[in-house]
Amino acid sequence: MIRLPPLLLLTILVTLVLIPAPALAAILGIDFGQSNTKAALVSPGVPFEIVLTADSKRKDVSGIAFKGEERLYGSSAAGIAPRSPSTAFLHFKPLLGRSVSSSEAEMYLAQHPGMELIPSGNRSTVAFKTPDSSFPVEEVLAMSLSNIKNLAEEMLPKSSATSRIYDVAITVPPYFDSVQRKAIIDAAEIAGLRVTALVPDGVATAINYASSRSFGNEKQYHFVLDMGAGSTSATLISFQEIQDGGLRFGKTALSITVEGVGFDHTLGGNLLDQRIFEILLARFIEAHGDGILSSPRALVRLHKEAERVKTILSANSEVRVSVESLHGDIDFRTMVSRTEFEEAIHDILPRISKPFEDALKAAKLDILDVQSVILMGGTTRVPIFQQVLVNDVLKGDASKVSKNVNADEAAVMGATFRGVSVSKQFKTKEINVLDPTIWEYDVVISDSDGRPVGAQILFPEGSLVVGNRSLIELQISEDVEEATLEFREGGRPLFTYGLHGIQEAKKKLLLANNCSELIPVIDAELTVSRVFEVHGISLQCNVTRPAESDDSEGEDFRQKVFNFFKGEKSSSSEESTTASETTAAAEAPTDSESTTTTPTATSEKSKATSRPKPRLVKQPMKYKIFYSGPRNMGRATKASSQARLRAFDKLDSDRHARDAVRNDVESYSYRIREWIEYEHQRFLEHLSEEERQTFLNKAESALEWLYGEGESMILDKLKEKMKELKEFEMIVFQREKEKLASIEAELRASASAAAAEVSAEVDGVEELVIPDDEEEETAAETSTSATVATATTTLMPNTETVSFEQSSTVETEPEETADLQHDEL
């Protein structure tokens, strides 16, 4: 064991204590929906502000598209989807953590014609195939998150010490499993973000709902119905004000508990769009044949029109459909009524009640115990769905339908609040969130022949997600040499550990230590984001060994350091005789002049040395990990994706700089042409006709070059062209500067000559003697006024002479003289 000198150890400890706490950082909240995405920001100087898109909108389409090397986000990506469906990746949330052969992938391809999905490497997950490349779905999500991060960082105050965003809280559906949740975390890491929490949609909405309300001591039950584009979930939440012992002055804290959750992961707005799409497609085929089925572009346009029709039917009884040149120059026009739409989704309506029934069953409650149903998601605006909710779920009680939350922004604001609470970087309202697991986490043990020999529950259903990490004893036979451990989540396999060399590991541990019993343990964790992870499997045993004397000295020193930071004084031999005697009894004497020890000290030291000290020893077991389904990204894969994103970011940065210079060249060329053609005064004075024509030709050629080969020119070439055009204005400025300098020199020379002339005139005036008597004084004043008037008449123009003559005349009228002198000033 490496032992540090006491003084060095104390220095290290003091240094650690004095390290300042990190400054307050920014927290980004993202409501990543299947159809739309919203974001909110909290930082010093920015309290809970919605992050606006590049178009200054409060939400944007979830997706990204490629236009050559350029990446388009949100509505811009949706805009080019009909023209290039294979390069526009929209509404891809259900594909996270799923394989190409999954039902989610099949439904996605049905709703997005023209897309091609391929396996992502050897991970059995989904990747988008483009004509030139392929992109794993996690990488596509990382690009979207990175774009949101950049938009949010532009909102940070320039004077703030916080200039970057690292922490993020993201909403997830409550039914997302560990693989899907880990896929979101991987995407955030690729984008340079650290996930503080993945917040279920219903919990995020409940936090936002409760943040501005007060509740009593009795539990209040409320449903959060979230009907989005891809899924429906009903989360039963209880709110209760409880006395918190950690709060002073008898304050209370709000407790939010998830009592039950029900969901349908395929019932959503996209399913309704698909039904309207099928109505429109059938009518087109009936009138014009099935040639449209071979045109992905036409099908994508028809899907987009179906989405518009669904939105309008939520408010109107019918809507006119009109798509110009849908296929083969055919203009498609028809009418769709709300009655037709409701008949097309008639079989879907009974599915609305199922999530409520499942949540109430889990909580062992009745719908009569629920005070309200909080509506979230755009699909809740469909009139027929609201009717089913009132009639079938709420037993006709429409008063329980609550619409007093912002359906678009409640989830993102609640998720941001949750991220702030978990990070503990800001002071917030005391809200305790209890979110139990909806699945059971267990392990199935099989022998070397694959026969199950046992099963074990690691985290039971209903476990509170508070970052549980435990060493769980593994029930396995002592004589087993090889075994497989299949870890499951809700009965679905996640991954399998193949153990081998079990007996060899036991022998190694027994030989090295005096172990009484070997215990195999699993290091398992259920994170705050409800991700199940296994950090390893090992053998453990308690080893009993006598403590060494130098260890006791080290323990004594560590105790002294501990007492020092607690503010306690160590008892020395000089301060207390009793303490001195105790120290002498526990340790050997340190006096260098003494060569013998007392019998009492020797006896006590012997006892301290021979006292047994238990110590836990671990021996990791050898294993291999197998995946029967999709698996998450490894370190190398994430590093490769990060490098790819940096390359795309560099291309974007270069393109933006290039576009800026192109715009400068274009606007400057037009400005030069306008200056010369409209004979701007400055350039008529300082340029000859030949020079003006030369520069006009340069501007015209610059525009021709810009719209031709300049389209593909690199940044340096564009800067050179801009420099050539700048020479024109520099010549004009230089000549104008020279002319101004010449005029200024002439003025200075004239002023100097005038000043010299005035000085000469003043020097020629004789010195006046003022007499003492009043008459002579009056005569002298009159004479002086006349003299000054005469001198001024010589130096000043005629207009000024008149002014001075009036002053001379008025001197005999004292009352008016003061006013005139004031006017002169």
Side-chain angles (χ1 to χ4, degrees), residues 540-552:
Q540 291 187 358
C541 71
N542 288 324
V543 180
T544 302
R545 287 185 177 179
E548 299 177 1
S549 60
D550 56 351
D551 283 345
S552 63

Side-chain angles (χ1 to χ4, degrees), residues 93 326 460 472 523 555 824:
K93 183 177 179 179
L326 177 60
I472 303 173
D523 186 359
E555 290 292 337
E824 287 294 327

Side-chain angles (χ1 to χ4, degrees), residues 473-549:
E473 183 177 345
L474 180 62
Q475 305 296 333
I476 190 172
S477 301
E478 295 183 359
D479 57 347
V480 173
E481 175 62 26
E482 295 182 359
T484 58
L485 307 179
E486 184 183 63
F487 295 94
R488 304 187 306 177
E489 180 181 45
R492 299 180 303 273
L494 290 175
F495 43 81
T496 301
Y497 274 43
L499 300 180
H500 57 91
I502 299 177
Q503 300 303 324
E504 179 184 353
K506 288 183 177 180
K507 292 178 181 179
K508 186 176 181 181
L509 189 60
L510 289 171
L511 289 175
N513 305 278
N514 182 21
C515 291
S516 57
E517 183 181 6
L518 296 178
I519 304 174
V521 294
I522 302 173
D523 186 359
E525 181 181 12
L526 193 57
T527 68
V528 175
S529 298
R530 199 190 292 162
V531 175
F532 176 73
E533 295 182 351
V534 174
H535 299 285
I537 303 175
S538 60
L539 291 171
Q540 291 187 358
C541 71
N542 288 324
V543 180
T544 302
R545 287 185 177 179
E548 299 177 1
S549 60

